[in-house]
Amino acid sequence: MTARKIASLVFILVSCTGMSVAQSNLGNALGKIGSAIEKRYKSQKEKERSSRPSSERYYGPEPGNQLFGGVYYDCYPYSRDAKVTDGRQERNIVDTYSSRTTSDPIYHHKALQSIFIPDYINFNEYDRRGNRVSSTSCRVTKMDAKAFYESYASSATITGNISLIPKYAFYKSSIHSLTLKNGTMHIGEYAFGKCDNLYTVSLPATLRTIGPNAFRGCGFRNLWLPETVTSISHHAFAECLYLNNLNLPKNITVLEPYTFYKCQQLQWISLSNITSFGDGCFLGSGITEVDFGKYTKSLGRYLFGCRPNGPGCDSRDFIDSKITCIMVEAAYPPACSYETFDGINVRDCTLIVPLGSADLYSKQPGWNLFKKVIEMNF
């Protein structure tokens, strides 16, 4: 009841009962008290609303759009964007799995079984009593680093609206399968690093770059890289112990250092478009035969193996290469060093070079180590 109504009722009461002036003054006093109470109440409600974070009023996803196990969101109603967060901010967020309020990071959720991040999600704003006061449709466009760090989920499907999968997003998570939708362009550092249970990966035709250690230590055997990929950073597939089949897109012309470090099951890969190889690209891999294309310009150190105390080795280890045959289609020997072929048995390994170039190869550092040289007309 408003202060005006209270004052009106008091005036009517005074008029009908013939109260004295003193009594009417009492009515005026009551009206002022009512007005003060109402003003104080409104001020207090406004103060509470402005001082507490929006998440305490909270934005919750609409039923049917909830993610399994509970995923944290930041919703921006004015920009109509939403961001998947790691839940570490000081806030109270609704856990959609257990229907309770929590502030624990998402990777602590052992109940998290499946992750599905949609293109859009509807956010409803609720008051403290749980009444919906507004609704906003937000486009999911971003994800925080470490959002699913050490997650227990077994699968993940991510909207293409998220163009960048940030660093450590799924680091050491338990996912078995991964699907990235069209629109995703970049995979950040260690985004899926150490996901040793990750066996099935589907990458979109929009993918451009794969960051450092992005898939390091994953468990897949086969991986198809879309032709749109233009950059693969160092250690991107290092220690993928079971990887035995992988294509290199035509736009990839440089292999960064240790790209396939210790990929023990990788026995062959097409390198026809690669012009430059960084240090240790295939160090500790299972490759037995290699074909360097005619555009090859330079080879880094410790390409296939190394000695103890070498920069690519543990100080106690000697990584012996399994290479038995090297074919080079370049008429002029690519630049290399004596350390390039560390760990290779150069006495027994066969070197195949273009017709008429054997003498030239025999005079170049590194290449002159090989004892079995055969010329071939490519």
Side-chain angles (χ1 to χ4, degrees):
M1 185 176 293
T2 65
R4 181 175 294 179
K5 288 184 178 180
I6 294 174
S8 298
L9 288 174
V10 171
F11 178 78
I12 292 170
L13 181 62
V14 170
S15 301
C16 294
T17 57
M19 289 183 179
S20 65
V21 175
Q23 288 172 322
S24 65
N25 289 338
L26 176 61
N28 291 334
L30 288 174
K32 291 181 179 180
I33 293 173
S35 178
I37 291 174
E38 181 183 11
K39 185 177 181 180
R40 182 177 179 182
Y41 175 78
K42 286 183 177 180
S43 176
Q44 184 178 356
K45 294 297 291 182
E46 183 61 31
K47 185 177 180 181
E48 288 180 1
R49 186 176 179 86
S50 61
S51 64
R52 64 176 181 263
S54 61
S55 54
E56 192 172 322
R57 298 195 303 275
Y58 74 81
Y59 286 107
E62 201 172 70
N65 286 331
Q66 297 174 355
L67 309 191
F68 291 101
V71 174
Y72 302 103
Y73 283 92
D74 273 342
C75 182
Y76 306 95
Y78 297 105
S79 65
R80 296 188 178 276
D81 285 339
K83 178 176 68 172
V84 182
T85 78
D86 63 1
R88 295 187 182 196
Q89 292 86 345
E90 294 181 0
R91 67 180 72 183
N92 294 321
I93 308 293
V94 171
D95 177 353
T96 61
Y97 184 86
S98 61
S99 298
R100 61 184 175 82
T101 302
T102 179
S103 58
D104 293 335
I106 197 167
Y107 53 79
H108 286 168
H109 289 206
K110 294 185 179 181
L112 188 62
Q113 298 177 356
S114 180
I115 298 167
F116 176 76
I117 301 178
D119 296 339
Y120 291 86
I121 194 162
N122 293 326
F123 280 84
N124 301 318
E125 185 182 4
Y126 300 89
D127 59 24
R128 291 195 302 174
R129 295 182 178 180
N131 300 315
R132 186 172 68 178
V133 295
S134 68
S135 182
T136 304
S137 179
C138 290
R139 187 169 179 257
V140 185
T141 58
K142 293 181 180 179
M143 179 188 298
D144 270 351
K146 298 185 179 181
F148 299 95
Y149 187 105
E150 294 184 342
S151 162
Y152 290 87
S154 61
S155 65
T157 301
I158 303 174
T159 172
N161 290 343
I162 299 178
S163 62
L164 168 64
I165 308 300
K167 60 182 181 181
Y168 294 93
F170 289 83
Y171 184 71
K172 285 188 176 181
S173 72
S174 300
I175 56 173
H176 293 186
S177 64
L178 167 69
T179 300
L180 300 181
K181 298 293 187 67
N182 277 339
T184 300
M185 300 177 66
H186 311 286
I187 299 177
E189 180 181 4
Y190 275 110
F192 302 98
K194 303 295 182 179
C195 294
D196 51 5
N197 292 318
L198 182 55
Y199 303 126
T200 305
V201 177
S202 177
L203 301 176
T206 54
L207 188 63
R208 298 287 187 273
T209 64
I210 299 175
N213 301 284
F215 290 97
R216 182 169 188 159
C218 288
F220 45 74
R221 296 179 180 274
N222 305 291
L223 185 64
W224 178 83
L225 298 178
E227 289 297 322
T228 53
V229 175
T230 58
S231 174
I232 300 176
S233 297
H234 65 85
H235 292 89
F237 302 102
E239 297 176 341
C240 290
L241 303 180
Y242 307 104
L243 178 62
N244 59 26
N245 186 19
L246 178 138
N247 67 298
L248 286 177
K250 294 179 181 179
N251 291 323
I252 299 296
T253 58
V254 176
L255 277 188
E256 297 290 340
Y258 306 100
T259 304
F260 298 101
Y261 173 65
K262 287 191 175 180
C263 291
Q264 298 174 359
Q265 299 297 317
L266 186 63
Q267 297 183 359
W268 185 86
I269 186 172
S270 176
L271 304 171
S272 58
N273 293 315
I274 307 300
T275 61
S276 177
F277 295 79
D279 293 350
C281 279
F282 302 101
L283 180 60
S285 71
I287 289 181
T288 57
E289 297 182 359
V290 64
D291 181 1
F292 293 115
K294 61 182 179 180
Y295 302 110
T296 305
K297 301 297 182 183
S298 63
L299 306 177
R301 302 173 301 166
Y302 312 103
L303 208 57
F304 303 99
C306 70
R307 320 177 277 241
N309 300 313
C313 291
D314 186 278
S315 59
R316 299 164 296 176
D317 291 343
F318 183 95
I319 298 181
D320 199 6
S321 172
K322 298 179 180 180
I323 290 286
T324 59
C325 180
I326 297 177
M327 182 182 296
V328 189
E329 298 180 27
Y332 189 84
C336 66
S337 69
Y338 289 109
E339 296 170 321
T340 296
F341 304 108
D342 240 20
I344 295 179
N345 185 349
V346 292
R347 291 182 177 274
D348 297 328
C349 180
T350 301
L351 175 63
I352 302 175
V353 299
L355 194 65
S357 63
D359 184 61
L360 188 59
Y361 272 81
S362 67
K363 295 178 182 179
Q364 297 299 316
W367 298 110
N368 60 7
L369 296 173
F370 293 89
K371 306 304 179 184
K372 295 181 178 181
V373 182
I374 299 174
E375 290 185 347
M376 180 179 292
N377 188 13
F378 295 110

